[in-house]
Amino acid sequence: LNGLLGEGAKESTESFEEIKEGPAIECEILSANTVTMEQIEILADGEYQYIKEGKVASQKGIDVSKYQGNVDWKKVAADGVEYAFVRVGCRGYGSSGTLIKDEKFHQNVKGALEQGVKVGAYFFTQAITVEEALEEAELVIEELGDYEITYPVAIDVERIQNDKARQDALTA
């Protein structure tokens, strides 16, 4: 992290080895997928499908959070949705960077799983220190609890447009 944090950001004194806990995770190495526009089919309802060797090779999924309100998971499953990424929470934009749990997270995970929709999860980050990133990861692990999460758990990093973000002062 030397030199990577912007003005006002705190730099951790811990090494990665000091922070890392638990067993190593084995990851499958995936080869690059070269998709051409000829392999993309746009359906009448505006949805896209990836066609490989004459067969649909894509899966239909959605991203949900409190902003979608009360999701009718029975209708979602009936529409052919195979997986959902459910927002666990986010870190606020302000200087305090308060952690915020998504108020619909548990409702959405339970609803999706009850209808056979596979679930992944994500956290919208605004972390500016290693400690904050760890705090976010701990919240995600706590909220996931004993749910049967079979899709990835991700950190959502986005550039904030038309507003000030906590990460604006960070440099690469």
Side-chain angles (χ1 to χ4, degrees):
L1 291 175
N2 291 338
L4 296 180
L5 299 177
E7 188 175 293
K10 296 177 186 173
E11 188 164 338
S12 173
T13 57
E14 296 177 294
S15 71
F16 179 74
E17 290 304 317
E18 291 170 327
I19 295 169
K20 187 176 80 170
E21 293 182 28
I25 299 171
E26 284 191 33
C27 297
E28 178 184 348
I29 304 298
L30 301 175
S31 59
N33 189 354
T34 53
V35 178
T36 64
M37 287 310 294
E38 291 78 33
Q39 294 171 295
I40 304 298
E41 181 179 334
I42 303 173
L43 305 176
D45 61 5
E47 292 180 358
Y48 291 77
Q49 288 187 138
Y50 169 52
I51 308 297
K52 186 174 181 179
E53 298 172 6
K55 296 182 181 177
V56 175
S58 55
Q59 295 181 343
K60 186 175 182 178
I62 58 173
D63 159 10
V64 296
S65 68
K66 72 175 188 174
Y67 297 107
Q68 281 68 51
N70 292 316
V71 176
D72 184 336
W73 286 100
K74 194 171 194 170
K75 284 184 180 177
V76 168
D79 191 43
V81 171
E82 299 172 73
Y83 68 89
F85 274 85
V86 181
R87 187 178 82 154
V88 176
C90 64
R91 184 177 293 277
Y93 293 176
S95 61
S96 65
T98 305
L99 288 180
I100 303 166
K101 295 178 184 179
D102 190 298
E103 60 198 56
K104 298 288 185 182
F105 174 73
H106 295 286
Q107 177 182 326
N108 282 328
V109 171
K110 289 175 187 173
L113 292 173
E114 286 171 2
Q115 295 303 317
V117 175
K118 296 172 185 150
V119 174
Y122 71 96
F123 186 90
F124 184 86
T125 186
Q126 280 284 304
I128 57 174
T129 66
V130 171
E131 290 81 9
E132 286 184 355
L134 288 170
E135 183 182 32
E136 292 174 357
E138 288 169 1
L139 175 74
V140 169
I141 291 167
E142 176 185 307
E143 291 300 300
L144 291 177
D146 293 330
Y147 290 124
E148 187 67 29
I149 305 295
T150 55
Y151 267 52
V153 177
I155 300 297
D156 183 2
V157 180
E158 297 181 26
R159 181 178 195 113
I160 305 301
Q161 306 264 338
N162 304 319
D163 203 351
K164 291 187 179 189
R166 297 180 80 235
Q167 298 162 325
D168 286 347
L170 298 179
T171 59

